Amino acid sequence: MSKQQINFEASARLLNNYNVLAQGRQVYDTADAVKAAGEISYPVVVKPVSKKIIHKSDEGAVFLNIKNQTHLKEACRTIESKIGGFSREEKEGLLIQKMADKGFELLVGAKQDPGFGPVTMIGMGGIYVELYSDAAMGIGVLSEKDVERMLSNTRAGKVLDGFRGQQYDRDSIIELVINVSRLMAENPDICELDLNPVIVYEKGYAIVDARLIRDTNLLPPLPMDVRDWKLDSINAIFNAQSVAVIGASRPGTQGGVILKNCMGVKHLYPVHPRLKTIHGLTCYPSLSALPEVPEVCVFAVSSERTVSIFEEFCKLGGKGAIIFSDGFAEMGRKDLEEKLIRLSETYKVAFIGPNCMGVIDNFSGLNTNYIPVQRSVPAATSNCVGVISQSGGIGLELLEMFGADNQNLGKWVSIGNAASAGVPEILAHMGDDPKIKIIAIYLEGVADGLKLMKVGKAVAAKKPVIIIKGGMGGGAEAALSHTASLAGSHEAFKTCCDQAGFYLVEELTEDPKILVNVISILTSQPKTDGKRIAVVSVGGGAGILLADQVTEEGMTLAEFAPETRKRMQDLIEKDFKPEQKAISDKLLKNVGNNPIDLFGNCGDERLLESIRIVDKDPHTDVIIAAIYLQVPLLSEYLPERLVELKEELTKPLIISPRGFSPYVDRCRTYMAEKKLHTYTVPMMKPLRIALDIWKTYGQSFMG
């Protein structure tokens, strides 16, 4: 077995080197136990040091508050029986500790995560640690700020803050957690560390139990730095003036579709051993026959041919490649993928893929998507959004969701196996690109988590990074076989997002439409600084449901100013006839509450004017309009009038058309074409995330 628990003496030495003071004396017979207890002074605690007993309390092998030799000897005999005898050679013995005073019990633990390296955690400790499940994590060598963030996410942190006036030494615990993170980073063979309980006092703390496990076969995480030559290759791909398509062919083939989609590239070279022309372009039999060395090669041939032609491309002086071809590690051919990597490292030529759909760059015209336009969506007008997807299929879904909502896109990348250029490298490129202001990522697994977090921190400090993560639950094994790169635990990944400053928009498998709607709101609505929401509805039920969702997502319903309520009442009252006064008086009592119900006799003017009134309300930050476009008194011109209204508003207007009839769909399509996006579901979570992003970055993403 590669994993082995370290005995107390060795554990204590290692811990003490990092100023983590584990108390106690390890002995191997009763006589030495009596001697140690006398030197420590009673009362003492006796517990086994044995590989045979892990959960000592559960086995009844921990003896507390022993006050004399008689009770000490009885405890020693019981423990000796439970572990089958003491042995100095096997390090099977006893631990004698001073009986700790009562205090607040914490767990401080750590582990080596396969994708993120050292992960340190803190939370409620003692025998109820599994019951409370109260722990927050931090990755790498932690700072004081990191530990403060961890404590703020736990009940343990609230206690350390001084719950009910009780004071604890919070600073010493922060120092302890930092020291543990440093120990784990500098000793990657320590795969697990548990300090439980750590009893915290007003001054100082006592480590009652320490358990360290060593794994001699543990592989350290990958390096944290993105190599400059890889960034040079990625920049060349996104700014390519000349592109060769290896495997270009007639229409109807994958190589033919890729070539056709790339027709916007300035110098495009089809490469095929037999064809003379394709799509009106001169076709060349090989790379060496081209009139120039292409900056970028796109590969759509077999895996074996890809490897040999990639080597030729590198030797000719090519700059970067996109390898659409599959048949590599995801199909069990790790040898071929490793050969690609060796060639890339040797010649300093990075590639995207293999097993990918490549790149769409609406700035340069490069489009290596192999899906025909008539079966998917045409290239969009360029804007400030960059999308990175580990899955070609989900990447395609996101692309089509953008198209369905008439949203634009700047850059789109399907990274496939990410053998050379992975998420950190593409993220670094988009982070440095001033044209890209928002980055969205679909991710299944990442083997270089520390690199992702380091790059992510730098990028997220400048622009929002929004992530959807697949392969967290039952889909984990499928994700492994799909991309050949799954690594790292769900908990560590969530910690990475928190620590780096990413927006993780799902917990398990939420609809990717959440991500699309976040971006839609950010790029089509004016920035606002608050979370006070006004709900205006033509149809009361829809307004009530939306108001419930507002508060569930942590936003607040606006409390309208008196002048707003008065203007709303005047607006409603003028549409009632004198003979309806009894009814109108009764209805007007609730007019001006939030949500605002505009009643079934609402026409265009009442709806539009109510939105104008709320837009001027000083206590409102966002307007949500729930509209049944089907009702008879709303005209067919309403979508056009809403588009015009949007231009005069100062606050975000989130329109929720209710229902799914063909008429509603036509109205939504018209408004989307005029850049007034509408939302069915999901809506409230994307709005809440967009509001958080506006607050964090303090800038508008429109235009």
Side-chain angles (χ1 to χ4, degrees), residues 226 231 234-235 238 386-389 413 415 421-433 436 438-441 443 449 451-467 496 500-502:
V226 171
L231 282 179
I234 294 167
N235 290 334
F238 281 102
V387 174
I388 306 169
S389 180
V413 184
I415 63 169
V423 173
E425 284 78 15
I426 305 298
L427 180 60
H429 165 80
M430 290 189 180
D432 288 339
D433 186 346
I436 298 298
I438 304 171
I439 301 169
I441 302 174
L443 190 63
K451 188 193 296 183
L452 174 65
M453 194 173 76
K454 182 177 180 180
V455 171
K457 276 185 176 180
V459 174
K462 300 180 288 187
K463 58 188 72 172
V465 179
I466 310 167
I467 293 183
C496 167
F502 299 152

Side-chain angles (χ1 to χ4, degrees), residues 314-336:
C314 291
K315 289 179 177 178
L316 287 172
K319 295 181 179 179
I322 300 167
I323 302 179
F324 166 81
S325 314
D326 58 8
F328 290 90
E330 83 288 347
M331 299 291 287
R333 293 302 306 270
K334 290 185 177 179
D335 57 323
L336 289 177

Side-chain angles (χ1 to χ4, degrees), residues 26 38 106 166 430 525 551:
Q26 188 169 335
L106 284 175
Q166 179 64 53
M430 290 189 180
Q525 300 289 346
T551 54

Side-chain angles (χ1 to χ4, degrees), residues 19 43 78 90 107 117 256 307 363 390 424 450 488 580 587 599 618 651 672:
N19 201 30
T78 301
E90 298 294 327
L107 159 72
V307 172
F363 301 105
Q390 196 166 41
L450 288 178
Q580 295 176 307
L587 292 174
F599 308 120
K651 295 169 181 172

